[in-house]
Amino acid sequence: MSDAMDALIRDLSDSDRTVRRAAEDGLVALGARSVDRLLPYVRDTRRGSPRFSAVSVLERLGDQALPRLREIRRQGPGRLRGKALETLVDLGGAQALDETDRSAVERLMRIKLLDELPVSLPLDAGRWLAFPADRFDDAVAVLGLHDLRPVTTVLGVDATTRADDSMDFQDAQGEQQRAYRVFITPEFDSWRYVSGPHNKWRMVWGNAFLDELDGFTLADELSKRCGEAHFYCIDPYHSAENWYVARDGRTVRSYGTYACPEFVGEPLPFEISYIEDAKEEGGDKEWAEGVIWAGTAASNLSVEPGPMSAEDTHGHGWLATTHPDVPTSRFKGALPV
């Protein structure tokens, strides 16, 4: 059997797709016995590594692989323990971990939270909501969030912008539902020079959540309870920028590259200097009607994503889901801490 398995592992790197597929089928047929031979290739970035085929086999094994992965976590071999942990979460979510590993992960999170500053948030190709930090409880209620867990910013952003951040499931009545993962950032000081009612802001990240439930609508609903809320979207693929300000449930000002009209509402105070500069001889005419860049608007209205200084960051972020029947531990995929 060892020679046969060696041959199958070698075939995972074959240049012929048909050979690779036959090798994957053969390893799947062997069941959990192939787990130990596949694990060394998980996250293996060496040239010629069969990591994609190895991961494919493990994914096809699914629940069959979980008992052996847990055995490796408890009994070794030691060189496979780390990859066994990642693979457990990839295949079954954090709920696939035993109590010892869950406690270890939670302890690691607590340690990381003590010293995670400064943090950074992605700006390019991002979409996010912003709301006054002192209205946290109101925001949680409006967005319908559950199972809030303190997490590092790097984990929260990865969970809601890169990993699978939505999940289809059947509720207790047998109805098909969809749950989303949502990350609420720590509090950030606003540096804007124009005095305003709010000097600390939190952001909400969740690509599927904002896309499918509509960030503009969510900003309206947030503003009804929080007084003010914003939605920002930067889409390099379509060369598009959007920013939207709502207060007390009403649209105050918005810009959209492909909206018609592009601007809605009267220019806000921070835009006046840009408009005046555009009117001067030699001024940049793109600012003639107002600010078109979401990052510039965010910087003046709330907080612009990017590197956030330790001095301007307060507390920690929260990872949550939008349905009480789907805790964060059900979402699959290993995340950085």
Side-chain angles (χ1 to χ4, degrees):
M1 179 60 70
S2 177
D3 290 343
M5 192 175 295
D6 287 343
L8 291 173
I9 293 293
R10 285 195 301 272
D11 285 347
L12 291 179
S13 300
D14 197 276
S15 59
D16 189 324
R17 182 178 179 181
T18 302
V19 173
R20 295 198 306 272
R21 183 65 181 183
E24 290 182 22
D25 292 343
L27 289 164
V28 170
L30 292 175
R33 287 175 292 176
S34 63
V35 168
D36 293 53
R37 300 297 302 275
L38 294 167
L39 278 181
Y41 301 106
V42 172
R43 307 287 194 272
D44 183 3
T45 59
R46 292 175 298 176
R47 184 179 179 84
S49 169
R51 66 182 182 279
F52 297 114
S53 291
V55 169
S56 175
V57 174
L58 289 166
E59 289 175 347
R60 291 171 64 188
L61 288 173
D63 290 349
Q64 292 183 61
L66 299 183
R68 177 54 190 154
L69 290 168
R70 294 191 190 101
E71 286 180 3
I72 294 171
R73 285 295 300 160
R74 301 280 69 82
Q75 302 170 17
R79 61 186 175 81
L80 297 181
R81 281 196 172 115
K83 292 184 176 181
L85 178 64
E86 292 183 28
T87 305
L88 274 167
V89 180
D90 281 339
L91 298 182
Q95 66 181 6
L97 302 178
D98 62 21
E99 187 60 36
T100 300
D101 277 337
R102 280 196 295 271
S103 297
V105 171
E106 290 170 1
R107 184 168 60 252
L108 175 61
M109 182 63 67
R110 290 194 297 269
I111 293 171
K112 289 286 188 178
L113 285 172
L114 293 174
D115 191 32
E116 75 158 338
L117 300 180
V119 303
S120 185
L121 293 156
L123 179 59
D124 294 340
R127 52 265 207 204
W128 69 95
L129 295 166
F131 67 90
D134 61 354
R135 307 308 294 268
F136 178 81
D137 290 340
D138 289 316
V140 168
V142 170
L143 298 176
L145 303 183
H146 303 270
D147 190 37
L148 274 75
R149 295 178 179 270
V151 297
T152 59
T153 297
V154 66
L155 185 149
V157 169
D158 200 274
T160 54
T161 66
R162 299 185 185 92
D164 290 339
D165 60 339
S166 66
M167 175 184 293
D168 294 324
F169 69 101
Q170 281 192 341
D171 62 18
Q173 288 72 44
E175 297 292 328
Q176 196 72 12
Q177 301 280 358
R178 174 166 290 188
Y180 302 92
R181 271 199 299 209
V182 176
F183 175 58
I184 299 182
T185 69
E187 297 182 6
F188 300 116
D189 291 337
S190 173
W191 66 269
R192 59 183 177 176
Y193 61 88
V194 180
S195 61
H198 309 294
N199 59 9
K200 287 185 174 62
W201 294 80
R202 287 184 186 264
M203 298 181 231
V204 179
W205 292 80
N207 285 357
F209 178 67
L210 295 173
D211 289 345
E212 296 177 20
L213 299 188
D214 185 54
F216 301 98
T217 300
L218 291 169
D220 283 339
E221 294 303 311
L222 271 175
S223 73
K224 291 177 185 178
R225 287 278 292 271
C226 301
E228 182 170 342
H230 313 153
F231 175 57
Y232 304 94
C233 182
I234 300 173
D235 182 357
Y237 184 81
H238 295 101
S239 300
E241 302 266 337
N242 289 271
W243 60 274
Y244 178 80
V245 177
R247 292 175 184 153
D248 300 320
R250 296 180 299 104
T251 301
V252 173
R253 179 69 162 162
S254 69
Y255 169 79
T257 302
Y258 300 115
C260 187
E262 291 182 333
F263 284 96
V264 172
E266 295 299 316
L268 296 175
F270 82 91
E271 295 180 88
I272 300 303
S273 62
Y274 292 93
I275 295 172
E276 291 176 347
D277 289 344
K279 292 178 180 178
E280 295 179 359
E281 185 175 352
D284 193 338
K285 301 305 180 185
E286 71 178 355
W287 307 105
E289 295 183 65
V291 168
I292 64 174
W293 304 111
T296 303
S299 180
N300 285 275
L301 288 166
S302 50
V303 179
E304 181 182 14
M308 317 299 284
S309 71
E311 294 78 12
D312 294 335
T313 305
H314 310 279
H316 56 74
W318 298 88
L319 188 64
T321 71
T322 59
H323 199 285
D325 292 346
V326 182
T328 58
S329 60
R330 281 191 61 181
F331 286 81
K332 298 178 181 180
L335 301 169
V337 178

